[in-house]
Amino acid sequence: MTNRVRKAIFPVGGMGTRFLPATKAMPKEMLPVVDRPLIQYAVDEARAAGIEQFIFVTGRGKSAIEDHFDRSVELEASLAEKEKFAKLDDIRESLFEPGNIAYVRQQEPLGLGHAVWCARHLVGNEPFAVLLADDLIKAETPCLRQMVDVFETEGGNVIAAMEVPYEQTSRYGIIDSDEADGRVRAVTGLVEKPARGTAPSNLAVIGRYILTPTVFDELERGETGAGGEIQLTDAMARLIGRQPFHGLAFEGRRFDCGDKLGFLEANLAFALGREDLGPGARELLARMGEGSE
Ligand code: G1P
């Protein structure tokens, strides 16, 4: 079994109900943050962490994602003809080597654990990453890269962790753990969406995981948990004690792009951080702050 994390799973089968009507005919993962679709940020982050093979678990109505990562010969020819070379480079950078991208359908929306399980044959017997595009993370060192660094020294499983307000713990997978050693801590328990007042901590799982393939055996059982869904968190919880399990309080800022305000905030933060748009965005915000718009 290789010990490098070469493969990543992107579960993109979700319906995107919270963003209707925008997501009626368009996958939620294609919603743009400034000028790049959300899924592109997750893919770029995985690339920066050394991922070589990209596995998308899709569903009905998601073909725009496949088109986005495919070549568009007409578009490339037209940009070249118009000498728009910077744009041409930009779209070429998001292409994959043929054969390094694969799609598998999750035929029914049975939960995140089920989506990950659908990719089991494509992953095989090696450690792999899972990235949830809704969780957009702005960091100097991309979050998954930080996690691969922990994995390379510690082995086992690594999950991204972040403190959230106690009143929001019922929205997340919640971590029970030992004392932290720097940013890393040993995870001793995991509970998916604990009922109000029952969370073991306010440390939440954020949508980045490095897992061993043993988790597929647990998912195979098809047991349902919170919300009647097959939960990845429950399968991971059953590995604790049998394999090392680390929570990494990653460096960076996470935006919940599954939420309208989180999505809006991400757009502002990424625009403000860009050389070409930052000054304009700052001016615009100042004007709006003065209440003139
Ligand atoms: C999923 C996971 C949950 C995790 C969250 C992070 O939940 O099941 O454990 O904390 O992502 O965003 P979802 O947001 O799909 O309900």
Side-chain angles (χ1 to χ4, degrees), residues 18 112 132 134-135 171-174 191-193 204-207 209 229 231-233 236 254 256:
R18 279 194 273 178
L112 176 61
L132 308 185
D134 276 2
D135 283 324
R171 295 191 207 162
Y172 294 93
I174 298 294
V191 41
E192 180 67 13
K193 302 196 170 76
V205 179
I206 297 305
Y209 311 77
E229 297 189 341
Q231 297 290 353
L232 182 60
T233 305
M236 296 191 303
R254 172 257 186 180
D256 178 5

mmCIF file of all heavy atoms in Angstrom, residues 18 112 132 134-135 171-174 191-193 204-207 209 229 231-233 236 254 256, ligand 1:
data_model
loop_
_atom_site.group_PDB
_atom_site.id
_atom_site.type_symbol
_atom_site.label_atom_id
_atom_site.label_comp_id
_atom_site.label_asym_id
_atom_site.label_seq_id
_atom_site.Cartn_x
_atom_site.Cartn_y
_atom_site.Cartn_z
ATOM 1 N N ARG A 18 -30.466 25.036 -0.665
ATOM 2 C CA ARG A 18 -30.392 26.338 0.010
ATOM 3 C C ARG A 18 -30.148 27.499 -0.951
ATOM 4 O O ARG A 18 -30.342 28.644 -0.610
ATOM 5 C CB ARG A 18 -29.288 26.314 1.077
ATOM 6 C CG ARG A 18 -29.773 25.651 2.362
ATOM 7 C CD ARG A 18 -28.840 25.917 3.493
ATOM 8 N NE ARG A 18 -27.780 24.924 3.528
ATOM 9 C CZ ARG A 18 -26.789 24.934 4.397
ATOM 10 N NH1 ARG A 18 -26.686 25.906 5.275
ATOM 11 N NH2 ARG A 18 -25.873 24.002 4.387
ATOM 12 N N LEU A 112 -23.274 11.647 3.082
ATOM 13 C CA LEU A 112 -21.863 11.860 2.733
ATOM 14 C C LEU A 112 -21.072 10.557 2.787
ATOM 15 O O LEU A 112 -20.224 10.289 1.924
ATOM 16 C CB LEU A 112 -21.259 12.906 3.684
ATOM 17 C CG LEU A 112 -19.775 13.192 3.533
ATOM 18 C CD1 LEU A 112 -19.453 13.729 2.134
ATOM 19 C CD2 LEU A 112 -19.308 14.196 4.593
ATOM 20 N N LEU A 132 -14.778 18.807 0.694
ATOM 21 C CA LEU A 132 -16.133 19.313 0.487
ATOM 22 C C LEU A 132 -16.025 20.753 -0.007
ATOM 23 O O LEU A 132 -15.515 21.627 0.715
ATOM 24 C CB LEU A 132 -16.944 19.260 1.791
ATOM 25 C CG LEU A 132 -16.976 17.912 2.523
ATOM 26 C CD1 LEU A 132 -17.925 17.970 3.726
ATOM 27 C CD2 LEU A 132 -17.387 16.777 1.588
ATOM 28 N N ASP A 134 -18.078 23.092 -0.426
ATOM 29 C CA ASP A 134 -18.818 24.104 0.342
ATOM 30 C C ASP A 134 -17.951 24.794 1.380
ATOM 31 O O ASP A 134 -18.203 25.926 1.766
ATOM 32 C CB ASP A 134 -19.940 23.416 1.146
ATOM 33 C CG ASP A 134 -21.174 23.219 0.325
ATOM 34 O OD1 ASP A 134 -21.158 23.581 -0.858
ATOM 35 O OD2 ASP A 134 -22.161 22.693 0.882
ATOM 36 N N ASP A 135 -16.996 24.053 1.901
ATOM 37 C CA ASP A 135 -16.071 24.629 2.871
ATOM 38 C C ASP A 135 -14.895 25.211 2.095
ATOM 39 O O ASP A 135 -14.004 24.481 1.652
ATOM 40 C CB ASP A 135 -15.560 23.554 3.854
ATOM 41 C CG ASP A 135 -16.592 23.201 4.903
ATOM 42 O OD1 ASP A 135 -17.335 24.100 5.341
ATOM 43 O OD2 ASP A 135 -16.659 22.024 5.299
ATOM 44 N N ARG A 171 -24.817 21.552 13.901
ATOM 45 C CA ARG A 171 -24.728 21.546 12.428
ATOM 46 C C ARG A 171 -23.542 20.751 11.913
ATOM 47 O O ARG A 171 -23.360 20.612 10.701
ATOM 48 C CB ARG A 171 -24.493 22.974 11.918
ATOM 49 C CG ARG A 171 -25.591 23.929 12.158
ATOM 50 C CD ARG A 171 -25.244 25.164 11.333
ATOM 51 N NE ARG A 171 -25.811 26.352 11.897
ATOM 52 C CZ ARG A 171 -25.401 27.575 11.588
ATOM 53 N NH1 ARG A 171 -24.395 27.754 10.749
ATOM 54 N NH2 ARG A 171 -25.981 28.631 12.130
ATOM 55 N N TYR A 172 -22.670 20.313 12.829
ATOM 56 C CA TYR A 172 -21.372 19.762 12.408
ATOM 57 C C TYR A 172 -21.109 18.378 12.989
ATOM 58 O O TYR A 172 -21.791 17.938 13.913
ATOM 59 C CB TYR A 172 -20.246 20.675 12.919
ATOM 60 C CG TYR A 172 -20.226 22.044 12.304
ATOM 61 C CD1 TYR A 172 -20.874 23.110 12.915
ATOM 62 C CD2 TYR A 172 -19.539 22.269 11.121
ATOM 63 C CE1 TYR A 172 -20.846 24.387 12.346
ATOM 64 C CE2 TYR A 172 -19.502 23.526 10.554
ATOM 65 C CZ TYR A 172 -20.158 24.580 11.167
ATOM 66 O OH TYR A 172 -20.121 25.831 10.600
ATOM 67 N N GLY A 173 -20.041 17.738 12.473
ATOM 68 C CA GLY A 173 -19.429 16.617 13.169
ATOM 69 C C GLY A 173 -18.593 17.236 14.279
ATOM 70 O O GLY A 173 -17.864 18.201 14.035
ATOM 71 N N ILE A 174 -18.725 16.723 15.495
ATOM 72 C CA ILE A 174 -18.018 17.335 16.631
ATOM 73 C C ILE A 174 -16.980 16.358 17.196
ATOM 74 O O ILE A 174 -17.206 15.156 17.279
ATOM 75 C CB ILE A 174 -19.016 17.796 17.718
ATOM 76 C CG1 ILE A 174 -19.957 18.878 17.150
ATOM 77 C CG2 ILE A 174 -18.289 18.313 18.972
ATOM 78 C CD1 ILE A 174 -19.298 20.203 16.766
ATOM 79 N N VAL A 191 -18.880 12.774 16.954
ATOM 80 C CA VAL A 191 -20.328 12.617 16.909
ATOM 81 C C VAL A 191 -20.915 13.567 15.866
ATOM 82 O O VAL A 191 -20.556 14.742 15.810
ATOM 83 C CB VAL A 191 -20.969 12.760 18.322
ATOM 84 C CG1 VAL A 191 -20.351 13.866 19.120
ATOM 85 C CG2 VAL A 191 -22.471 12.914 18.249
ATOM 86 N N GLU A 192 -21.753 13.004 15.000
ATOM 87 C CA GLU A 192 -22.326 13.802 13.911
ATOM 88 C C GLU A 192 -23.561 14.548 14.404
ATOM 89 O O GLU A 192 -24.490 13.947 14.938
ATOM 90 C CB GLU A 192 -22.683 12.893 12.722
ATOM 91 C CG GLU A 192 -23.295 13.622 11.518
ATOM 92 C CD GLU A 192 -22.339 14.574 10.799
ATOM 93 O OE1 GLU A 192 -21.119 14.524 11.041
ATOM 94 O OE2 GLU A 192 -22.833 15.380 9.985
ATOM 95 N N LYS A 193 -23.540 15.847 14.206
ATOM 96 C CA LYS A 193 -24.668 16.724 14.524
ATOM 97 C C LYS A 193 -25.325 16.391 15.862
ATOM 98 O O LYS A 193 -26.494 15.969 15.923
ATOM 99 C CB LYS A 193 -25.695 16.689 13.380
ATOM 100 C CG LYS A 193 -25.063 17.105 12.050
ATOM 101 C CD LYS A 193 -26.047 17.459 10.983
ATOM 102 C CE LYS A 193 -25.360 18.091 9.786
ATOM 103 N NZ LYS A 193 -24.632 17.192 8.900
ATOM 104 N N ALA A 204 -15.277 21.529 15.689
ATOM 105 C CA ALA A 204 -16.047 20.916 14.594
ATOM 106 C C ALA A 204 -15.133 20.345 13.521
ATOM 107 O O ALA A 204 -14.027 20.839 13.296
ATOM 108 C CB ALA A 204 -16.966 21.957 13.974
ATOM 109 N N VAL A 205 -15.641 19.321 12.859
ATOM 110 C CA VAL A 205 -14.967 18.775 11.678
ATOM 111 C C VAL A 205 -15.307 19.696 10.503
ATOM 112 O O VAL A 205 -16.468 20.001 10.254
ATOM 113 C CB VAL A 205 -15.509 17.362 11.332
ATOM 114 C CG1 VAL A 205 -14.822 16.806 10.095
ATOM 115 C CG2 VAL A 205 -15.369 16.419 12.518
ATOM 116 N N ILE A 206 -14.292 20.144 9.788
ATOM 117 C CA ILE A 206 -14.498 20.955 8.582
ATOM 118 C C ILE A 206 -14.216 20.037 7.389
ATOM 119 O O ILE A 206 -13.497 19.045 7.523
ATOM 120 C CB ILE A 206 -13.577 22.203 8.639
ATOM 121 C CG1 ILE A 206 -13.951 23.085 9.840
ATOM 122 C CG2 ILE A 206 -13.620 23.020 7.350
ATOM 123 C CD1 ILE A 206 -15.419 23.511 9.889
ATOM 124 N N GLY A 207 -14.775 20.352 6.232
ATOM 125 C CA GLY A 207 -14.783 19.384 5.134
ATOM 126 C C GLY A 207 -13.473 19.062 4.444
ATOM 127 O O GLY A 207 -13.354 19.166 3.211
ATOM 128 N N TYR A 209 -10.556 15.815 4.781
ATOM 129 C CA TYR A 209 -10.228 14.581 5.477
ATOM 130 C C TYR A 209 -9.096 13.879 4.747
ATOM 131 O O TYR A 209 -9.052 13.882 3.521
ATOM 132 C CB TYR A 209 -11.412 13.609 5.453
ATOM 133 C CG TYR A 209 -12.763 14.190 5.855
ATOM 134 C CD1 TYR A 209 -13.499 14.993 4.977
ATOM 135 C CD2 TYR A 209 -13.329 13.901 7.094
ATOM 136 C CE1 TYR A 209 -14.750 15.498 5.331
ATOM 137 C CE2 TYR A 209 -14.583 14.400 7.450
ATOM 138 C CZ TYR A 209 -15.284 15.199 6.565
ATOM 139 O OH TYR A 209 -16.525 15.691 6.908
ATOM 140 N N GLU A 229 -29.159 9.430 7.416
ATOM 141 C CA GLU A 229 -28.173 9.297 6.336
ATOM 142 C C GLU A 229 -26.987 8.433 6.757
ATOM 143 O O GLU A 229 -26.719 8.289 7.957
ATOM 144 C CB GLU A 229 -27.657 10.693 5.946
ATOM 145 C CG GLU A 229 -28.746 11.581 5.388
ATOM 146 C CD GLU A 229 -28.191 12.871 4.819
ATOM 147 O OE1 GLU A 229 -27.057 13.253 5.152
ATOM 148 O OE2 GLU A 229 -28.926 13.497 4.025
ATOM 149 N N GLN A 231 -23.503 8.316 7.462
ATOM 150 C CA GLN A 231 -22.614 9.423 7.821
ATOM 151 C C GLN A 231 -21.143 9.001 7.800
ATOM 152 O O GLN A 231 -20.777 7.975 8.383
ATOM 153 C CB GLN A 231 -22.965 9.954 9.225
ATOM 154 C CG GLN A 231 -24.355 10.551 9.341
ATOM 155 C CD GLN A 231 -24.493 11.876 8.582
ATOM 156 O OE1 GLN A 231 -23.510 12.432 8.056
ATOM 157 N NE2 GLN A 231 -25.714 12.394 8.528
ATOM 158 N N LEU A 232 -20.318 9.821 7.172
ATOM 159 C CA LEU A 232 -18.876 9.578 7.180
ATOM 160 C C LEU A 232 -18.342 9.646 8.614
ATOM 161 O O LEU A 232 -17.495 8.854 9.022
ATOM 162 C CB LEU A 232 -18.177 10.618 6.288
ATOM 163 C CG LEU A 232 -16.665 10.487 6.148
ATOM 164 C CD1 LEU A 232 -16.273 9.143 5.539
ATOM 165 C CD2 LEU A 232 -16.091 11.620 5.289
ATOM 166 N N THR A 233 -18.872 10.601 9.371
ATOM 167 C CA THR A 233 -18.417 10.781 10.758
ATOM 168 C C THR A 233 -18.595 9.496 11.573
ATOM 169 O O THR A 233 -17.712 9.125 12.348
ATOM 170 C CB THR A 233 -19.213 11.924 11.423
ATOM 171 O OG1 THR A 233 -19.079 13.082 10.602
ATOM 172 C CG2 THR A 233 -18.703 12.241 12.811
ATOM 173 N N MET A 236 -15.954 6.979 10.631
ATOM 174 C CA MET A 236 -14.651 7.379 11.185
ATOM 175 C C MET A 236 -14.613 7.090 12.686
ATOM 176 O O MET A 236 -13.597 6.628 13.210
ATOM 177 C CB MET A 236 -14.406 8.876 10.949
ATOM 178 C CG MET A 236 -14.307 9.257 9.481
ATOM 179 S SD MET A 236 -13.698 10.944 9.236
ATOM 180 C CE MET A 236 -14.857 11.916 10.166
ATOM 181 N N ARG A 254 -11.995 29.858 7.136
ATOM 182 C CA ARG A 254 -12.946 28.996 6.437
ATOM 183 C C ARG A 254 -14.257 29.740 6.213
ATOM 184 O O ARG A 254 -14.751 30.441 7.098
ATOM 185 C CB ARG A 254 -13.167 27.740 7.270
ATOM 186 C CG ARG A 254 -14.277 26.825 6.792
ATOM 187 C CD ARG A 254 -15.503 26.987 7.645
ATOM 188 N NE ARG A 254 -16.539 26.023 7.285
ATOM 189 C CZ ARG A 254 -17.706 25.959 7.887
ATOM 190 N NH1 ARG A 254 -17.969 26.763 8.888
ATOM 191 N NH2 ARG A 254 -18.607 25.097 7.499
ATOM 192 N N ASP A 256 -18.220 29.194 5.055
ATOM 193 C CA ASP A 256 -19.268 28.206 4.842
ATOM 194 C C ASP A 256 -20.075 28.633 3.623
ATOM 195 O O ASP A 256 -21.034 29.393 3.726
ATOM 196 C CB ASP A 256 -20.154 28.117 6.095
ATOM 197 C CG ASP A 256 -21.290 27.126 5.903
ATOM 198 O OD1 ASP A 256 -21.331 26.459 4.845
ATOM 199 O OD2 ASP A 256 -22.132 27.023 6.810
HETATM 200 C C1 G1P B 1 -20.688 17.580 6.654
HETATM 201 C C2 G1P B 1 -20.217 16.538 7.666
HETATM 202 C C3 G1P B 1 -19.971 17.188 9.024
HETATM 203 C C4 G1P B 1 -18.999 18.341 8.879
HETATM 204 C C5 G1P B 1 -19.490 19.328 7.811
HETATM 205 C C6 G1P B 1 -18.445 20.385 7.552
HETATM 206 O O1 G1P B 1 -21.962 18.024 7.044
HETATM 207 O O2 G1P B 1 -21.197 15.524 7.769
HETATM 208 O O3 G1P B 1 -19.450 16.245 9.922
HETATM 209 O O4 G1P B 1 -18.841 18.985 10.124
HETATM 210 O O5 G1P B 1 -19.771 18.664 6.575
HETATM 211 O O6 G1P B 1 -18.891 21.359 6.670
HETATM 212 P P1 G1P B 1 -22.985 18.807 6.043
HETATM 213 O O7 G1P B 1 -22.508 20.219 5.992
HETATM 214 O O8 G1P B 1 -22.874 18.117 4.726
HETATM 215 O O9 G1P B 1 -24.321 18.673 6.683
#
